[in-house]
Amino acid sequence: MSSNKVVNIVIAGLGGQGVITASDILADAAFRAGLDVKKSEIHGMSQRGGSVASDVRIGEQVLSPMVPPGEADFLLVLSADQVEPNQHQLKPGGMLIAPEMIDESALQNKRSLNVALLGILSAHLPMVPEAEWIKALKTSLPEKILEVNLQAFALGRGKKSA
Amino acid sequence: MNTTQPQLLSGDEAIALATRDAGVALGTGYPGTPSTEVLERFSELGGHAQWAPNEKVALEVAIGAAFGGARALCTMKHVGLNVAADPLFTVAYTGVSGALVILTADDPGLSSSQNEQDNRHYARAAGVPMLEPSDSQEAYDFLLAAMAISAEYKMPVLLRPTTRVCHSKSIVRPACNLPAPAAAHFVRDVQGRVMIPAYARLAHQRLREKLTRLAAWAETSPLNQILPGDKSLGIITSGISFEHAREAAPQAGILKLGLTWPLPMEKIRRFAESVARCVVIEEGDPVLYESIRAAGIAVEGMPGMYHFGELNVARIRRILAGDVSAEPVPPRGKPPQLCPGCPHRYVFELLQRLDCIVAGDIGCYTLGVLPPFQAMDSCVCMGASIGVGLGLRHVLPEAQARRVVSVVGDSTFIHSGITGVVEMVYNPPPTGHVVIVLDNGTTAMTGLQEHPGTGRSLNHGPAKQVVIEELAKAIGVDRVHVLDPGREPAAFDQLVRESLAATATTLIVARRPCILSAKKIREYEATRAENKQN
Ligand SMILES: Cc1ncc(C[n+]2csc(CCOP(=O)(O)OP(=O)(O)O)c2C)c(N)n1
Ligand code: SF4
């Protein structure tokens, strides 16, 4: 029964930063890899700048779509000031993926920070092959910005050993 | 084309797909988080979907379609059902010929609403069956089941997903090759549909008789399932709470109710008797608990504190442990704000400067209550700004009455502000009144939907436009003005001051597009101009 290990990821940031896009890509990549996946978020439909957080859970069988507080294996944060209000989500020993882990000047477009951070995360999720990530990026992102984002993803993913 | 390929879908997307697959002829509703995406997606999938001016009209249109023998879906958020309650209670009597499913998307925890009312009460009060999905697969399956029940029992059916079901994504395996429903065709049934007292008395009897049959069916329906477990603990639950409960208590036996009205009372009784401890876990009010206890079944409810807000795995662990100690308060995130450059900013800056008493309304502009503006004094329900403003004007001493302004968005004005203006003209307060319509050309709050005032239909194609200022003039408002508060701030300032001083009824349309929608609106207009030329 308990061989069913669920990996919990919380993605947080501010409205307009691409939190939902990032969690959509992650959920889609896991789905393509044949895993059970649920994702859930509370977000407004308009306005800008408020806190946004999205929960993604992947594994053999996922029940609740919400990551219980203090049980996130990964906390991926897009805005430095959102680390503090989301820190409680992370379990002891969980991994914080923060914006300063990416050298912004290496990004062709700063707006692809969300995808660069997903690149870092991807290196820690061996059950989702790289090819599925690429397919998920291709379906979720408009043609115009795909190249920049593939570059951002590769940049983050290359960071594994760092 | 139908498919059995699994898809990763939100609950709303799954409902839209099922609506298409069920052969629904017409989807109608009014936007409201978290229900809005259902009709948008249904339209994208090729379905006939349209926004009504409000939920009452939407339901009436859907009733007409179902009287005509077609299948209809009507969508709204929970508070929308208050607006549509009048037709709801009587269509329960008349029943339908085709099929009618009414989607009420509830919002426990108030992620984007003015209250967290529990619409399960409506199912019981109106005598309408209710289905509650717990994930996207069930959102899909239960829409189909609701249509089937409606078609078979000839009665409307409520489908109640909650925010977490609507906006969570999970894997869906759609059905394939569903039979197409019968074509629409009018068959006269005067006694069945004309609710004069003599006919309505009989219709009430028929409704109760249908519910009795349905309750018998519910006893064995696969919509209500038992997950066997340890005999020491049993949980009765429904909707999203089911997913949380399974995770919080993997060893427990669970009776999961998919059809929550009418209830399968014998099944519940047997389940409760089969376990040493039986706890009812439900998000919102103690609706299941009270019904089950009223039937004389010994079950345990939840401590009062858990009837506020959403449930989750951690809270259910606490409920089962009988823990009523104070819950940890998660750190507050950053609240949303009006976008930089938002047209509403100009209006609230002025109202704050003039120290107005602002009867407000619901939309993006409700954020005018927060700093830096703090220029809103009430917000009750959609359209209430005008009535509340008038009431204040009637009773306040003149110096205060002259500071009262009603502020309402364009979509909200069409939804339920028009009757308020009729009231203003018919019963004007001694000092007159001032209504400002914040016309940003869209329903911004819920994600930029069209409405009758935008001149575009749900799929952004051209439609006849209801012109707010012409409507106000036709109703008989003394002074009607239109201006762009961003382009002419001085003129706007002067106009509002004059209007407050005048003893007259005034309606000012402050027209300036929402900055998020402005670009999209330009695109729609361009396509339209192109199409005209061709
Ligand atoms: C009865 C009811 N239906 C729907 C809603 C959801 N809702 C809240 S505000 C709003 C309309 C907002 O549009 P508008 O008045 O044009 O203001 P804007 O957000 O564009 O500033 C809607 C549909 C609601 N709160 N109540
Ligand atoms: S979405 Fe539009 S109306 Fe809403 S705050 Fe932003 S600019 Fe203003």
Side-chain angles (χ1 to χ4, degrees), chain B residues 10-16 19 32-39 73-79 81 101-109 111 113 116-120 129-143 146 157-168 238-241 256-258 260 283 310:
Chain B
S10 71
D12 280 351
E13 291 167 338
I15 290 168
T19 303
T33 310
S35 68
T36 315
E37 296 93 322
V38 173
L39 287 187
L73 173 72
C74 183
T75 70
M76 59 195 71
K77 69 181 291 161
H78 61 343
V79 285
L81 201 52
V101 174
I102 303 159
L103 177 140
T104 160
D106 282 17
D107 190 18
S111 79
S113 303
E116 57 178 338
Q117 70 183 55
D118 186 333
N119 278 5
R120 293 179 300 166
M130 174 174 274
L131 273 67
E132 292 184 66
S134 69
D135 64 5
S136 299
Q137 180 69 57
E138 284 193 349
Y140 180 90
D141 294 340
F142 284 15
L143 184 284
V157 175
L158 283 159
L159 181 67
R160 175 185 179 259
T162 52
T163 303
R164 287 288 173 184
V165 174
C166 292
H167 283 174
S168 293
S238 70
I240 190 75
S241 312
K256 187 221 180 257
L257 298 170
T260 49
E283 209 168 51
E310 284 190 291

Side-chain angles (χ1 to χ4, degrees), chain A residues 24 39-40 46 51 57 64, chain B residues 164 168-169 244 247 334 444:
Chain A
D24 275 337
K39 81 154 216 155
S40 168
S46 56
S51 300
R57 312 187 75 193
S64 170
Chain B
R164 287 288 173 184
S168 293
K169 283 192 178 179
H244 305 322
E247 183 163 336
K334 205 173 151 206

Side-chain angles (χ1 to χ4, degrees), chain A residues 24 27-28 31 35-40 42 45-51 57 61 63-66 71 85 88, chain B residues 6 8 111 164 167-171 243-244 246-247 313 317 331 333-334 336-337 364 367 444-447:
Chain A
D24 275 337
D28 189 37
F31 168 60
L35 296 161
D36 191 16
V37 52
K38 286 189 180 173
K39 81 154 216 155
S40 168
I42 291 295
M45 292 290 135
S46 56
Q47 303 146 8
R48 282 291 176 260
S51 300
R57 312 187 75 193
Q61 190 195 17
L63 300 174
S64 170
M66 293 148 79
E71 294 185 23
H88 71 284
Chain B
L8 184 62
S111 79
R164 287 288 173 184
H167 283 174
S168 293
K169 283 192 178 179
S170 58
I171 298 170
E243 305 291 349
H244 305 322
R246 276 208 287 178
E247 183 163 336
V313 174
R317 286 187 192 129
K334 205 173 151 206
Q337 279 196 336
C364 276
L367 291 173
M445 175 81 178
T446 46

Side-chain angles (χ1 to χ4, degrees), chain B residues 30-31 55 79 344 362 364-365 382 409-412 440 442 444-445:
Chain B
Y30 181 75
E55 294 85 354
V79 285
H344 300 329
I362 307 190
C364 276
Y365 52 94
M382 283 185 76
D410 50 338
S411 188
T412 303
N440 60 357
T442 185
M445 175 81 178

Side-chain angles (χ1 to χ4, degrees), chain A residues 46-47, chain B residues 337-339 341-344 364 440 444 448 514-516:
Chain A
S46 56
Q47 303 146 8
Chain B
Q337 279 196 336
L338 291 174
C339 301
C342 171
H344 300 329
C364 276
N440 60 357
L448 310 173
C514 157
I515 56 154
L516 290 194

Side-chain angles (χ1 to χ4, degrees), chain A residues 22-151:
Chain A
S23 70
D24 275 337
I25 294 168
L26 164 58
D28 189 37
F31 168 60
R32 285 168 187 276
L35 296 161
D36 191 16
V37 52
K38 286 189 180 173
K39 81 154 216 155
S40 168
E41 67 249 343
I42 291 295
H43 60 96
M45 292 290 135
S46 56
Q47 303 146 8
R48 282 291 176 260
S51 300
V52 183
S54 180
D55 294 359
V56 182
R57 312 187 75 193
I58 60 186
E60 232 166 85
Q61 190 195 17
V62 181
L63 300 174
S64 170
M66 293 148 79
V67 174
E71 294 185 23
D73 300 280
F74 299 94
L75 172 62
L76 194 156
V77 186
L78 300 181
S79 172
D81 64 350
Q82 293 303 297
V83 172
E84 212 261 339
N86 290 287
Q87 190 79 48
H88 71 284
Q89 302 270 19
L90 208 53
K91 72 174 192 198
M95 180 181 180
L96 173 68
I97 300 177
E100 62 268 19
M101 292 166 77
I102 292 291
D103 174 11
E104 271 209 0
S105 63
L107 288 175
Q108 285 175 21
N109 181 341
K110 276 186 202 157
R111 296 189 49 83
S112 48
L113 175 69
N114 57 347
V115 172
L117 295 175
L118 277 183
I120 300 184
L121 174 71
S122 76
H124 296 273
L125 298 177
M127 60 290 216
V128 184
E130 182 166 8
E132 308 302 346
W133 281 99
I134 304 299
K135 281 187 217 155
L137 286 164
K138 285 186 177 160
T139 24
S140 302
L141 297 170
E143 188 74 46
K144 279 191 293 195
I145 56 167
L146 183 62
E147 268 317 307
V148 237
N149 279 288
L150 288 172
Q151 180 257 349

